[in-house]
Amino acid sequence: MRHLFLLALTALFTAAAPAAAQDTEARWSIAIHGGAGTLDPDAMTPARRAAYEAALQNALDAGARVLAAGGSATDAVKAAIVPLEDEPLFNAGRGAVFTWEGENELDASIMDGRDRSAGAVTGVKSIKNPILLADTVRTDSPHVFLTGAGAEEFAAEHGIETAPPEWFATEPRRESLERMKAQELSSLDVDHKFGTVGAVALDMQGNLAAGTSTGGMTGKRWGRVGDSPVVGAGTYADNRACAVSATGWGEYFIRVGVAHEICSRLRFLRSTNWLTLGNRRVPSGETQAISQLAADAVMNEVKELGGDGGVILVTPEGHALYSFNTTGMYRARATSEGVNEVAIFADE
């Protein structure tokens, strides 16, 4: 796969023509996801599809408004993720899946590409919007990653909004746990999709950010932690390369280090002038193709190991991209150049 990746890059560079002077106009870009997995178009009723599309558009609009007003990428990421955490359709915040013990345990992380500051929390049970706690860890804590009771204590000290257990619990998620136990199924058998939510953004100052939030996997046990709160696996942002948020079978995303791996490949290409070709800049359309190749190559590695899922990413040029190895991923993107798209299935 790496060999094919390099061959594809060589073909792109060979065909590249001299580009015009780089456009210096400030621009912004945002992409969001609501999980990837085995989605069946035949099982998606028009009403249910409309509900998902409306929820995705609402979150996309919230993030885009921040960027269009000149706000920061980190603020846009939070603005987009909060309504997804509040929406029971997704496995994050309200609507999170249940652990084996019948509780909702929440994870989140966020990263600022300017200085690679990051914050993450895992195993919290009363935090209404875990992404806001993760960002407070990033800005107000000397640490990067807080867990369980300690994270809850930190939240209380910083006035983070909480909610009772019934806020997070929904009947469809409870039924999934009961069916899993009764029929001795795996998490994948009852979920069929990964409802993790996330957002990546480029602001008009040229800064990147990424954030991810999840309830984990149905029936998770023994304090299991997936990729979503793990900086470098489920979330990563670096102004020198890209911003990535992932969704999928977390164990595999951790093993590959998916988010960091994608950014690392792109940063390497930039550092070795593969994306500038000396004094000649690679045209924007080709940097988009190169970034897509990098994301696809990493997702193929996940698939080869046996994992599935997807990623969203935004590049310094403002390309908002997706890559997933499943039948669908709830996703949306918008840019200052007028792009506004919401999609669910792979062929859309």
Side-chain angles (χ1 to χ4, degrees):
M1 181 54 63
R2 292 175 186 269
H3 177 64
L4 293 175
F5 177 55
L6 290 175
L7 284 177
L9 289 178
T10 301
L12 284 171
F13 296 143
T14 301
Q22 185 181 358
D23 183 4
T24 58
E25 181 180 353
R27 63 185 64 186
W28 57 263
S29 183
I30 185 169
I32 66 172
H33 70 77
T38 305
L39 306 177
D40 183 0
D42 295 332
M44 180 69 72
T45 66
R48 188 165 181 80
R49 182 183 182 109
Y52 274 108
E53 289 177 342
L56 290 167
Q57 188 68 63
N58 178 55
L60 184 69
D61 290 345
R65 281 194 296 270
V66 172
L67 296 171
S72 71
T74 51
D75 283 346
V77 164
K78 290 184 291 180
I81 290 178
V82 164
L84 294 173
E85 290 179 328
D86 291 344
E87 172 54 64
L89 288 172
F90 303 106
N91 173 22
R94 190 182 190 191
V97 299
F98 284 88
T99 67
W100 185 263
E101 294 77 21
E103 296 180 306
N104 304 112
E105 290 185 352
L106 315 169
D107 307 332
S109 62
I110 191 169
M111 189 167 187
D112 188 334
R114 291 177 300 179
D115 56 4
R116 283 170 283 166
S117 59
V121 295
T122 186
V124 297
K125 301 177 182 179
S126 68
I127 306 304
K128 184 173 181 290
N129 294 111
I131 193 65
L132 299 183
L133 175 56
D135 195 53
T136 305
V137 172
R138 180 184 71 86
T139 59
D140 294 0
S141 166
H143 309 302
V144 169
F145 202 165
L146 302 182
T147 68
E152 301 258 4
E153 180 182 354
F154 176 84
E157 292 175 358
H158 289 79
I160 301 296
E161 185 178 1
T162 60
E166 54 267 27
W167 165 260
F168 306 102
T170 61
E171 196 57 33
R173 301 299 193 190
R174 194 182 302 278
E175 290 173 357
S176 293
L177 177 64
E178 292 172 353
R179 184 158 53 91
M180 176 185 181
K181 290 184 174 182
Q183 301 178 23
E184 297 183 354
L185 302 173
S186 72
S187 297
L188 301 181
D189 290 328
V190 296
D191 283 341
H192 299 296
K193 67 180 181 66
F194 306 96
T196 297
V197 306
V200 291
L202 168 73
D203 63 32
M204 288 195 285
Q205 290 71 49
N207 296 314
L208 297 167
T212 313
S213 181
T214 190
M217 298 182 78
T218 298
K220 62 183 180 181
R221 306 177 74 175
W222 311 299
R224 180 262 186 190
V225 178
D227 65 301
S228 296
V230 179
V231 174
T235 302
Y236 202 77
D238 185 342
N239 279 6
R240 300 171 297 175
C242 63
V244 177
S245 173
T247 171
W249 196 341
E251 281 70 15
Y252 292 92
F253 281 69
I254 292 172
R255 288 164 60 184
V256 176
V258 165
H260 182 270
E261 179 71 9
I262 293 170
C263 288
S264 181
R265 292 187 186 201
L266 291 178
R267 184 166 61 88
F268 171 77
L269 293 172
R270 292 174 188 280
S271 70
T272 54
N273 285 328
W274 278 74
L275 295 186
T276 56
L277 296 180
N279 293 325
R280 179 160 60 86
R281 185 175 179 80
V282 174
S284 177
E286 294 186 12
T287 63
Q288 178 176 344
I290 292 165
S291 300
Q292 187 70 59
L293 281 168
D296 290 347
V298 174
M299 287 309 303
N300 279 330
E301 287 194 18
V302 172
K303 185 176 182 179
E304 289 169 359
L305 290 176
D308 55 2
V311 296
I312 54 174
L313 66 149
V314 166
T315 71
E317 296 80 22
H319 303 307
L321 307 173
Y322 318 118
S323 181
F324 52 100
N325 58 23
T326 56
T327 59
M329 180 166 74
Y330 298 107
R331 61 198 188 277
R333 59 186 170 189
T335 73
S336 54
E337 298 177 333
V339 172
N340 190 305
E341 300 173 355
V342 176
I344 297 177
F345 299 104
D347 58 356
E348 299 175 344

